[in-house]
Amino acid sequence: EVQLVESGGGLVQPGGSLRLSCAASGFTFSSYEMNWVRQAPGKGLEWVSYISSSGSTIYYADSVKGRFTISRDNAKNSLYLQMNSLRAEDTAVYYCARVGGGAVAGTFDYWGQGTLVTVSS
Amino acid sequence: DIVMTQTPLSLSVTPGQPASISCKSSQSLLHSDGKTYLYWYLQKPGQSPQLLIYEVSSRFSGVPDRFSGSGSGTDFTLKISRVEAEDVGVYYCMQGIHLWTFGQGTKVEIK
């Protein structure tokens, strides 16, 4: 069974930093591209960042470019999001999501349960 | 950036009745590879989003056949033939031709 479990969320002051983790199991993590998607309280979904299976290709949404860094450790089956210079508008539930293979390549077929990041003084 | 616009933003449906959600993209989602990168998700209350439809009209594994998708280019529709209580939640369309962008979401509730 595919499982994605996020951790690392919490309360942080504006300008602070936080590192999110996503532990993957139930599939060959090193073969799949991964993403972070966030959802502000009561709002819709916003794609944040993408990383290829090897980690060689990375993309960011303009809203986080220069502040967030996505990475992965295929030996540990883990995905990360380093968030620096946090702002109040970064407050959201952060989901890790797998890019599917085969017929569903190009979209997110499995999502974690999310971890809440609150940026407030 | 590609903008995805959903209508309506909310829908109240009697069980057993059909429902329809429209999604329009600011650019064509038809790729040169012949695929159209339009997807539908459902986020049930308190849950993570779940994939319903990929490439406009293909149902993901385990998705009931009362869900169907249609459209082309920039105009797309998700239809539920007979709404059930378990279908409540927020439905999102998403484009995947140039990075990823979601629609605003359509909240479906039961009358």
Side-chain angles (χ1 to χ4, degrees):
Chain A
E1 178 194 5
V2 172
Q3 284 202 320
L4 299 168
V5 179
E6 301 93 337
S7 61
L11 175 63
V12 61
Q13 292 189 339
S17 299
L18 213 53
R19 188 195 196 206
L20 305 184
S21 299
C22 172
S25 61
F27 64 101
T28 305
F29 180 71
S30 60
S31 297
Y32 286 83
E33 302 158 24
M34 298 294 296
N35 289 264
W36 288 98
V37 178
R38 68 183 180 183
Q39 185 171 37
K43 302 297 184 182
L45 300 167
E46 179 189 16
W47 170 78
V48 172
S49 185
Y50 158 93
I51 187 167
S52 63
S53 57
S54 66
S56 61
T57 300
I58 286 172
Y59 302 117
Y60 297 101
D62 288 344
S63 57
V64 306
K65 202 173 294 182
R67 301 186 299 122
F68 289 12
T69 302
I70 191 172
S71 63
R72 65 190 297 160
D73 186 334
N74 286 341
K76 294 184 177 180
N77 293 334
S78 293
L79 175 72
Y80 306 102
L81 187 67
Q82 177 66 43
M83 304 186 295
N84 298 331
S85 304
L86 283 161
R87 306 166 180 166
E89 54 265 36
D90 296 318
T91 294
V93 173
Y94 285 73
Y95 297 99
C96 66
R98 187 184 84 165
V99 177
V104 292
T107 192
F108 313 142
D109 61 350
Y110 286 94
W111 299 58
Q113 86 291 346
T115 186
L116 176 62
V117 172
T118 302
V119 184
S120 175
S121 54
Chain B
D1 290 4
I2 298 177
V3 176
M4 305 297 288
T5 304
Q6 289 182 229
T7 54
L9 297 185
S10 66
L11 206 48
S12 184
V13 187
T14 301
Q17 293 301 300
S20 180
I21 300 169
S22 172
C23 175
K24 296 183 188 298
S25 58
S26 60
Q27 300 175 32
S28 176
L29 302 185
L30 174 62
H31 194 274
S32 56
D33 63 8
K35 297 179 182 180
T36 300
Y37 290 84
L38 185 280
Y39 310 92
W40 289 97
Y41 288 86
L42 165 60
Q43 186 174 30
K44 296 183 178 181
Q47 295 186 17
S48 306
Q50 57 188 81
L51 178 63
L52 293 177
I53 302 286
Y54 63 95
E55 292 178 17
V56 180
S57 59
S58 297
R59 279 186 299 277
F60 188 51
S61 175
V63 174
D65 60 8
R66 64 179 180 274
F67 291 93
S68 64
S70 63
S72 63
T74 60
D75 289 356
F76 306 95
T77 303
L78 176 70
K79 292 183 179 177
I80 311 173
S81 58
R82 297 172 303 280
V83 172
E84 298 187 4
E86 66 180 23
D87 300 336
V88 299
V90 181
Y91 290 77
Y92 295 93
C93 62
M94 184 190 80
Q95 66 82 19
I97 195 170
H98 177 64
L99 300 179
W100 296 271
T101 314
F102 294 89
Q104 318 97 299
T106 296
K107 185 174 184 179
V108 172
E109 62 176 20
I110 298 295
K111 280 184 181 175

